[in-house]
């Protein structure tokens, strides 16, 4: 256990944790998903497959980060998806590759899942109706995950890709200010949508995005203060005392 998460297994030194809230939401989700199938067990398969795709996406981030010389701590799965705790080196290119590799996994899965769907549709047998529904759901889930993650709203992958691209021209601080500012605006817009549609999911997501974008904004401010401090000589800087000590 670690912060309410259970350690499931580890791959190449990367530990995978499952947050306890996952089980609570899984119970609700599986019940509603199962209605789409003639045999409700497919609802369980679909929910597990959703998180298998999430896990592959997170491993994309983790292995890419490691390839840049960065550190990978762990992957935590929770009801809103997954979080890979990665620390790529502070270079724009390393950040860009570590972030882009996650959605790239979904890009690779896109034609593979489509091929399976087409193959099953060609069989067109009553026996395979649940399998066909399952395959169609996975194709849709992967596509939605790809599009959603590419929204340019920090801290979503799209927002972090935007930040890395801006970093090449504007440096680490200004790029983070702009990306987290766009993320804050997007989170507020999603919050208004959540209130308008009375959507609990959109509300939770908007709260998560808002807090993370605000943390990004705050981090940029701290970096700027640190930079200013580093540029000004400290009061006990030996260079300041040099003339007097030479006397
Ligand atoms: Zn991602």
């Amino acid at each position: 256990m670690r912060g309410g998460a259970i350690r499931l297994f580890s791959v190449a030194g990367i530990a995978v944790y499952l947050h306890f809230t996952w089980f609570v939401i899984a119970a609700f989700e599986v019940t509603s998903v199962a209605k789409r199938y003639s045999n409700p067990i497919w609802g369980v398969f679909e929910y597990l497959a959703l998180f298998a795709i999430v896990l592959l996406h997170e491993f994309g981030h983790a292995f890419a980060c490691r390839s840049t010389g960065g550190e990978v701590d762990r992957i935590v799965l929770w009801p809103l998806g997954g979080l890979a705790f990665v620390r790529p080196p502070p270079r724009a290119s390393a950040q860009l590759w570590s972030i882009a590799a996650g959605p790239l996994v979904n890009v690779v899965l896109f034609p593979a899942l489509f091929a399976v769907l087409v193959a099953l549709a060609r069989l067109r047998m009553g026996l395979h109706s649940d399998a066909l529904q399952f395959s169609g759901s996975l194709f849709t889930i992967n596509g939605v995950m790809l599009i959603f993650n590419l929204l340019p709203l920090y801290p979503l992958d799209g927002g972090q890709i935007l930040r890395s691209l801006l970093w090449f021209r504007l440096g680490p601080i200004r790029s983070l200010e702009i990306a987290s500012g766009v993320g804050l605006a997007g989170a507020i817009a999603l919050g208004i949508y959540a209130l308008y549609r009375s959507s609990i999911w959109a509300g939770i997501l908007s709260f998560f995005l808002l807090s993370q974008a605000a943390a990004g904004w705050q981090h940029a401010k701290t970096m700027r203060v640190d930079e200013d401090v580093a540029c000004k000589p400290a009061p006990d800087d030996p260079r300041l005392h040099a003339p007097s000590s030479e006397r």
Side-chain angles (χ1 to χ4, degrees):
M1 289 289 284
R2 181 172 178 165
I6 305 151
R7 190 187 159 118
L8 293 182
F9 54 87
S10 111
V11 176
I14 303 162
V16 176
Y17 288 83
L18 187 64
H19 198 261
F20 79 95
T21 49
W22 186 88
F23 293 100
V24 182
I25 303 300
F28 286 107
E29 285 294 309
V30 167
T31 318
S32 82
V33 167
K35 289 177 190 145
R36 294 205 288 264
Y37 295 97
S38 54
N39 185 343
I41 191 69
W42 284 91
V44 178
F45 293 162
E46 185 182 315
Y47 200 63
L48 292 177
L50 157 66
F51 277 87
I53 296 177
V54 170
L55 195 54
L56 288 174
H57 173 109
E58 299 305 329
F59 271 114
H61 287 307
F63 286 126
C65 174
R66 198 174 264 179
S67 77
T68 65
E71 288 174 42
V72 187
D73 189 1
R74 63 195 189 277
I75 291 170
V76 178
L77 298 175
W78 65 310
L80 283 183
L83 294 168
F85 289 78
V86 294
R87 279 187 303 279
R91 298 192 308 270
S93 56
Q95 293 271 340
L96 183 58
W97 174 231
S98 302
I99 299 302
L104 266 177
V105 170
N106 300 101
V107 170
V108 171
L109 285 175
F110 197 83
L113 291 172
F114 185 69
V116 173
L117 179 60
V118 169
L120 285 175
R122 285 209 176 139
L123 287 173
R124 286 223 188 112
M125 288 164 72
L127 195 67
H128 296 283
S129 65
D130 275 347
L132 188 59
Q133 169 68 42
F134 175 76
S135 176
S137 291
L138 287 202
F139 177 72
T140 309
I141 286 168
N142 182 62
V144 169
M145 203 185 287
L146 176 62
I147 293 165
F148 176 74
N149 271 298
L150 287 180
L151 292 176
L153 303 175
Y154 186 93
L156 297 179
D157 290 339
Q160 299 209 44
I161 289 170
L162 172 70
R163 193 259 173 136
S164 311
L165 292 173
L166 291 172
W167 186 334
F168 283 104
R169 286 195 73 90
L170 303 174
I173 302 175
R174 190 82 191 108
S175 62
L176 184 55
E177 282 173 344
I178 295 173
S180 58
V182 174
L184 278 172
I188 291 167
L190 184 64
I192 293 168
Y193 171 83
L195 285 174
Y196 179 67
R197 296 294 297 264
S198 306
S199 165
I200 293 172
W201 274 117
I204 293 172
L205 191 62
S206 117
F207 178 76
F208 169 73
L209 291 182
L210 196 68
S211 63
Q212 293 296 305
W217 179 266
Q218 194 59 42
H219 184 56
K221 265 176 74 176
T222 312
M223 284 163 81
R224 199 170 279 294
V225 170
D226 289 349
E227 190 190 52
D228 290 347
V229 170
C231 291
K232 279 186 210 132
D236 57 351
D237 190 321
R239 284 170 299 176
L240 290 178
H241 305 299
S244 56
S245 61
E246 276 166 12
R247 256 182 244 143

